[in-house]
Amino acid sequence: MNAPQNFDRGGRERLVVIGNGMAGCRAVEEVLARDPDRYDITIFGAEPRVNYNRIMLSPVLAGEKQFDDIVINPPEWYAANDITLISGDPVERIDRERQTVVAASGRVEPYDRLIIATGSDPFIIPVPGKDLPGVVTFRDLDDVNKMLAAADAGGDAVVIGGGLLGLEAAHGLSLRGMKVTVVHLMPTLMERQLDEAAGWLLKEELERRGQTILTGADTEAILERNGHVAGVRLKDGRDISADLVVMAVGIRPNTLLAKSAGVEVERGIVVDDHMVTSDPAILAVGECVQHRGTCYGLVAPLWEMCRALADFLCESPTGYSGSVTSTKLKVSGIDLFSAGDFSGSDGSEDIVMRDASRGIYKRVVVRDNRVIGAVLYGDTGEGSWYFDLLKKGEDISDVREALIFGQAFAMGGALADPNAAVAALSDEAEICGCNGVSKGQVVACIEGGAYSLDAVRSTCKASASCGSCTGLVESLLALTLGAEVKSGPKTMCKCTSFTHDDVRRLILEKQLRAIPQVMQELHWTTPDGCASCRPALNYYLLCAWPGEYEDDQKSRFVNERLHANIQKDGTYSVVPRMWGGLTNPKELRAIADAAEKYGARTVKVTGGQRIDLFGIHKEDLPAIWADLNAAGMVSGHAYGKALRTVKTCVGSEWCRFGTQDSTGLGVKIEHATWGSWMPHKFKIAVSGCPRNCAEATIKDFGIICVDSGYELHVGGNGGIHLRGTDLLCKVETEEQAMEMCGAFIQLYREEAHYLERTAPWIERVGIESVRQRLADAEEVRKLAARFRLSQKYSQHDPWAERAGGKRADLHAHIAQVRPLQMEPAE
Amino acid sequence: MIGKWLDIGPVTQIEPGTARTLPVEGGEEIAVFRTMNGDCYALVNKCPHKQGPLSQGIVHGAVVTCPLHNWNISLMTGEALGDDKGCVPTIPLKVDGGRIFLLREAVLGRQAAPQAA
Ligand SMILES: Cc1cc2nc3c(=O)[nH]c(=O)nc-3n(C[C@H](O)[C@H](O)[C@H](O)COP(=O)(O)OP(=O)(O)OC[C@H]3O[C@@H](n4cnc5c(N)ncnc54)[C@H](O)[C@@H]3O)c2cc1C
Ligand code: HEM
Ligand code: SF4
Ligand code: FES
C-alpha cells in the first residue's frame, strides 16, 4: 500500500468519516461501542459545529428548544474518544488511488477505511428567482438562523412544499409571528404519508390556526423587488407577497463526492447489506445511500444501517435488510401518524373509523390478515401497536373485528367479537356520546319496539347525531333481537350508513362544503368513496352551494367530464343546442362542415329535435366545439344529468289548431333552464294544443297550451317504464308558466336522490305532496329565486371554455409512442 | 439512446384521481392513472368486459370504474373485482425524479403483429 505511514497512530487503521451529521456520528458511536481502540478516527464536517440532532431543528425554529438542547455530542466527546473533528472544512475530493481525502482548505487525510455520510441536499425547484436573497431551504442550523432573522423583521412567509419539512417550517414561522402561506403542488398535504381524508383534516386544522394552505398550486416564479425576494407567482397567475420563501419540496441524496471519485451511484450511493460501496475500502451510510433500490429520508433506518456497518467494520458482519418506516408530524397539538402502504392495493381491505366530534380519523389497511399500513389522525395512541403488527407481519385474524378500536379492546380475549364486546359492557356504559344514551337505555328502547336502527334513532336518539356509534347500536339490535333485525332504509352506497336524504340534510345542517369534508364528518368507511357516491356528493354540494362549490371534475362520469356522450367504440357524439328545436341555414351549414371535417360517420336527428354527430375522437372535441361555437351554437348537454332539450311544436304561429306560441315559449324556457345540473336528465316539451304533437305528457315538465292558458304537467318519461305525466296545475300567463317551471325544477334538484328521474321521485313522494308545496305562492317564489340564483353560475357554455383551452389535459394524450421514438405531448 | 424505461413525462401532467392516454402506433393504447394519493399505474386502455376506455372511468382508491358498464378494475393487477371476471394487461411503471417511466418492452411488446398491406 502506498499510503503514507503514520507511526504516531500506534499501527491502528485509519477510519475517516465524511459528514458530521446524524449517520456519520452514530456510525462512529457504534464502532466505538464494539471496539474502542481499533480505529484512529477523523471526522470531516462541512458545518462549523459539533454534531446535533437535525430533526430537532423544527422545535428550535418553533422556539420550543435552544441549539444547546439538541447537541448530541459536545466537543468533550470527540476529545475523550480521541477523535479528530475537522469542522467547517468540507471534503472536496476522494483520491481512491492514494486512499486520501482532500478538504477545501487543502488538507489531505489518508484513510484505510472511508465512510461517506454526506446526507442529502434540499431540492431547489428551477424557477426564476430561486437564488434571490430571502429564499432559503430547511436543512441545517444556518437555515434556521436565516429564518429566525427574517421572522424578527416580521412580514409574510411562503413555504413551498406541504410535506413534513414544509409544514414544520410553516408552523415554526407562524409561531414566530409571520403570516404564512403554504404552497403545495399536490391536492393533499403530505401525500406521501397521508391519504386524502387525513390530509384534509390536517389542512383544516392548519387553516384554523391562521395559515393559508394552497393545494394544487404550482410555482411559476419567485418575484423580486430591490434585489430581495418579494413574492411567489403561481402558474394560475396568482401572486402571493413574501418577505421570506422557504423551499421544502424534497431532498436529494448528496452523492457528488462519490460520483466524481467513480464509486457506483444511482439515485444514491449504491451499498450492499454491509453498507460497502463498489469500492471495498469505502462504506456509506445515511440518507446519501441507496440500499436494495431504496433511499430513505428518515432517521430510523440510519440507526439500523449504522449497526450493520459497525458489525462489519468490527469483523462480526450481520447485514442490514432494509427498513419499514413510519412518520409523525412534529407540530404541537396535531397528532398524526402514518406507516406502511395505504394506497388501497389489491386484495387489501380498509378498516376506517371516523369520529367527527373529536376530529379523529383512523385507517388500518389489511391484506391477507396482516396489517400493511396505517394512517391515524387526531388519536395516534395506537400507532405503535399497528406499526409493531406491521413490522412483525403478525396474523391478525383473531382480533380483526376489533382492530380499529385499539389494542386494549382487541386483545381483551373473549372481547374480540364486537357483539361479545358490546354484550360485555355494563348497562351504564355510554353508547352514544353525543346524546348521552347508555346501553341500558338503548336496550330498553329496542325491547319497547324499536326494531330498526332508524327506530332507535328516533326513539332514544342514540346514533342520531354524529353516527359514530352506529356499529354499537347495530350490535345491540342484533343481541337483543337475535335474527329479527329489520334492515333500515337503503343507504347511499356501501361507503356510508347514511341515506341520500340524510346526506343532503346534513350537508346543509353542518355546512359541509367539500367532498372530503362530507366523508369525514359523516364517517365514510372508505378513504375516497366509490363511483356511486362521488358523483352524487359532487351534485349535492353543487346544488347546496351554488357559485361557491367548485365542481370536482374527477367525480363526474366521463360524459359530463368530456361534455360529450361516449359511444360503445370509445368515440364520442356531439349534439349542439337548437333552442326549442329551431335552427337556421347558418347553423346547418356549420354542422355539415363540422361533420365532414371531423369525419362524423353518422349524422342523426335525435328524438329531442336536434342533430347528433357520431364518431368524433376525444382529441378532436375542443376543435369541433370551437367550430360550432363560431356559428353561435353551444353545448346541448345531451350527455349530462342536466336540462336536455325543450321540444316544441310549431304552435299558433303556423298551425291552424294552435292556441298559443308554443315554439316561442319553448325557446324562452330553454334559454332560462339550459346549463342547470340535475339529479338526472331532464326533458321539457311545449305543445300548442291538446293534440300534443310535442309529446309533452311523457316529459319531466310538459306544457299543453289551451285557449285559457297553460296546463303544466310533471313526472313523465319514455324509456322502458313509460310513465305519463301528472297534472300539476293550470296557469294563465307565460310568466307564470316559466316561474312554475323554475320552481318545480328547483324542488326536484333539492329533494330528489341523485340518479332519480322525476317519475320515480314523484312516485316516491307522491304527486299530492308536490302539488301542495307548489300551491303555496310564497314557496314557489322562493324556489324559483333559488333556481335563478343557481343558474347565474351554471350558464357558461362548457364547450367554449374547453375550446378556449381550459382543462386541455382532459382531451390530449399525455404522449405518443411511435416505434422507437417518443413524442411528448406538452 | 434506447433505455429499458420509456420516459413519458412529468407526473404533474396527470391530476390525481384521473388518467391520461398514451397511444402506441401499431399497438394498443395505454392508460396511465394517478390515484388520489399520487400513486401511478398503467394498464392497456381496454376494459376486459367490452373494451370500454378505462382511462375515462372514475378512480377511487387503486380501482377504476369502467365508464361503459361500471365494472371495477384493479389498477395494480388489471383484474376485474367483485363478481366480474376478466383481466386487462398491466404495464410496469416507475416514478423517478418526478417523471413517469414505463417498461419499454411492455409498451412495445403490446404492438400488434405487422399487418400485411
Ligand atoms: C428540519 C428537519 C426535521 C426532520 N424531522 C425528522 C423527523 O421528525 N423524523 C425523522 O425520522 N427524520 C427527520 N428528518 C430527517 C433526518 O434529519 C435525516 O434523515 C437525518 O439527519 C439524515 O442523517 P445523515 O447523517 O444521513 O445526514 P445529515 O444529518 O444531513 O448529515 C450529513 C452531514 O454531512 C455534511 N456534509 C455533506 N457533504 C460534506 C462534505 N463534502 N464534507 C464534509 N461534510 C459534509 C453535512 O454538512 C451534514 O452535516 C428531519 C430533517 C430536517 C432537516
Ligand atoms: C347511456 C345511455 C343513453 C344515451 C347515450 C342516450 C342518448 C340519447 C340522446 C343523445 C338523445 C337525444 C336527446 C337530445 O337531443 O338531447 C336521447 C333521446 C332519448 N332518450 Fe336516451 N340515452 C340513453 C339512455 C336512455 C334511457 C335509459 C332512456 C329511458 C329511460 C332513454 C330515453 C330517451 C328518450 C325517450 C329520448 C327521446 C327524447 C325526446 O323525444 O325528447 N335514453 N337519448
Ligand atoms: S300540438 Fe296542437 S298546435 Fe302544436 S302542432 Fe300539434 S296540433 Fe298544432
Ligand atoms: S366495457 Fe367496461 S364494463 Fe363493459
Side-chain angles (χ1 to χ4, degrees), chain A residues 75 130 236 245 252 255 310 335 373-374 397 418 420 471 536 630 635 691 694 708 754 774 782 807 812 815:
Chain A
K130 65 183 168 52
D236 63 15
V245 171
R252 236 185 209 175
T255 58
D335 292 321
S397 26
S635 165
R691 288 168 191 77
S708 56
Y754 190 64
L774 296 179
K782 281 188 187 156
R807 295 308 305 263

Side-chain angles (χ1 to χ4, degrees), chain A residues 403-522:
Chain A
L403 188 68
I404 199 79
F405 300 116
Q407 183 171 20
F409 195 73
M411 302 305 256
L415 300 187
D417 165 13
N419 279 354
V422 174
L425 294 173
S426 73
D427 274 354
E428 287 74 49
E430 187 171 86
I431 297 291
C432 173
C434 299
N435 297 302
V437 188
S438 69
K439 175 183 162 188
Q441 287 170 297
V442 177
V443 171
C445 153
I446 296 172
E447 285 169 344
Y451 293 157
S452 69
L453 181 61
D454 244 39
V456 172
R457 282 180 177 165
S458 56
T459 325
C460 71
K461 290 261 179 302
S463 150
S465 297
C466 83
S468 63
C469 61
T470 303
L472 294 175
V473 173
E474 279 169 348
S475 286
L476 285 174
L477 279 162
L479 285 168
T480 317
L481 301 174
E484 294 166 48
V485 189
K486 291 216 186 83
S487 57
K490 241 174 100 265
T491 63
M492 202 164 139
C493 68
K494 63 182 181 356
C495 307
T496 175
S497 57
F498 286 110
T499 63
H500 282 271
D501 291 328
D502 288 338
V503 171
R504 297 204 79 165
R505 177 175 52 79
L506 290 165
I507 283 176
L508 292 173
E509 261 176 38
K510 294 178 168 248
Q511 303 261 315
L512 308 178
R513 286 162 201 274
I515 291 178
Q517 190 185 15
V518 175
M519 291 181 176
Q520 172 62 22
E521 294 289 322
L522 306 187

Side-chain angles (χ1 to χ4, degrees), chain B residues 20-50:
Chain B
R20 294 189 65 182
T21 45
L22 177 75
V24 180
E25 197 174 84
E28 286 189 290
E29 184 164 279
I30 291 169
V32 187
F33 292 87
R34 192 159 173 222
T35 63
M36 293 287 211
N37 56 25
D39 295 333
C40 294
Y41 302 97
L43 305 179
V44 167
N45 192 19
K46 269 189 184 171
C47 178
H49 178 219
K50 293 190 174 171

Side-chain angles (χ1 to χ4, degrees), chain A residues 185-188 191-192 194-196 267 342-346 528-531 534-535 552 554-558 561-562 566-568 570 572 618 807-810 812-820 822 826, chain B residues 2 6-8 10 12-18 20-25 29 32 34 36-39 41 50 53 55-62 65 67-68 74 76-77 79 81 96 100 104 107-108 111:
Chain A
L185 184 62
M186 303 287 295
T188 303
E191 76 286 346
R192 285 277 113 215
L194 298 185
D195 58 13
E196 201 192 3
R267 216 145 35 99
F342 44 85
S343 56
S345 55
D346 221 44
D528 51 11
C530 70
R534 288 250 307 273
D552 184 28
K554 55 186 181 297
S555 297
R556 284 200 175 261
F557 293 120
V558 55
R561 202 178 328 124
L562 289 183
I566 192 167
Q567 303 298 332
K568 66 178 188 183
Y572 293 81
K618 185 179 74 177
R807 295 308 305 263
D809 61 309
L810 292 178
H813 297 302
I814 185 167
Q816 308 204 9
V817 181
R818 307 267 167 81
L820 305 185
M822 273 285 305
E826 44 199 77
Chain B
I2 297 185
L6 204 58
D7 180 347
I8 61 161
T12 48
Q13 285 186 9
I14 312 180
E15 190 204 340
T18 71
R20 294 189 65 182
T21 45
L22 177 75
V24 180
E25 197 174 84
E29 184 164 279
V32 187
R34 192 159 173 222
M36 293 287 211
N37 56 25
D39 295 333
Y41 302 97
K50 293 190 174 171
S55 57
Q56 303 305 325
I58 289 183
V59 179
H60 45 104
T65 302
L68 292 197
S74 159
M76 311 190 95
T77 61
E79 270 170 281
L81 303 175
D96 197 351
I100 300 177
R104 181 182 294 271
V107 173
L108 299 179
Q111 247 173 279

Side-chain angles (χ1 to χ4, degrees), chain A residues 568, chain B residues 46-54 65-73 84:
Chain A
K568 66 178 188 183
Chain B
K46 269 189 184 171
C47 178
H49 178 219
K50 293 190 174 171
Q51 281 79 54
L54 296 175
T65 302
C66 176
L68 292 197
H69 317 95
N70 293 330
W71 279 28
N72 284 314
I73 310 293
D84 300 317

Side-chain angles (χ1 to χ4, degrees), chain A residues 565 606-608 610 612 638 644-645 647 681 683 699 718-719 757:
Chain A
N565 275 329
T606 74
R610 44 206 198 161
D612 199 342
R644 294 287 179 85
T645 68
K647 193 170 173 175
K681 57 183 170 188
K683 297 174 182 176
K699 295 292 181 268
R757 281 198 69 179

